[in-house]
Amino acid sequence: LADGSWQAGVLYAPPVKEWDKQDSFGEPGWVTIDGKETSRGKTGDAMGQCFAGLALTANQLAPLGRSLKAGMMVMTGSIVPTQFPKKGNTVVGHIEGFGEISLTLT
């Protein structure tokens, strides 16, 4: 399985401590570009639960005699549609209980 994310790229943040205590189905999340909210969703919008994509990937690898290894990154889906910021925009992604990440395109 592969996903090019429309070649738009992927942002990832530092690991979340105690992630297993978060609501992986219903936490709200949103994206802002230059302070204006452009999209909103919840963690369950990514295949119904944020670990569904991870399980799907592991289950596809198992019959091939392969497995996921520590340190691998698996994109588990997005809770918002792909955004297309432009040079100079500041993009902030936030998922309640998990944190926030920001990027300014230069």
Side-chain angles (χ1 to χ4, degrees), residues 13 33 45 54-55 57 60 62 65 68 88:
I33 297 178
D45 292 342
L54 184 63
T57 302
Q60 292 290 320
L68 296 173

Side-chain angles (χ1 to χ4, degrees), residues 7-65:
Q7 304 304 314
V10 175
L11 295 176
Y12 61 94
V16 174
K17 294 179 181 177
E18 299 185 352
W19 57 268
D20 55 333
K21 295 180 181 174
Q22 303 298 329
D23 177 358
S24 56
F25 296 96
E27 294 290 2
W30 55 90
V31 171
T32 64
I33 297 178
D34 295 335
K36 180 180 178 186
E37 186 176 305
T38 58
S39 191
R40 178 175 283 267
K42 64 183 185 317
T43 49
D45 292 342
M47 296 181 69
Q49 201 265 9
C50 67
F51 295 112
L54 184 63
L56 174 71
T57 302
N59 289 335
Q60 292 290 320
L61 290 172
L64 303 173

Side-chain angles (χ1 to χ4, degrees), residues 62-77:
L64 303 173
R66 300 179 66 197
S67 63
L68 296 173
K69 306 286 186 223
M72 287 181 163
M73 182 183 300
V74 176
M75 292 172 41
T76 59

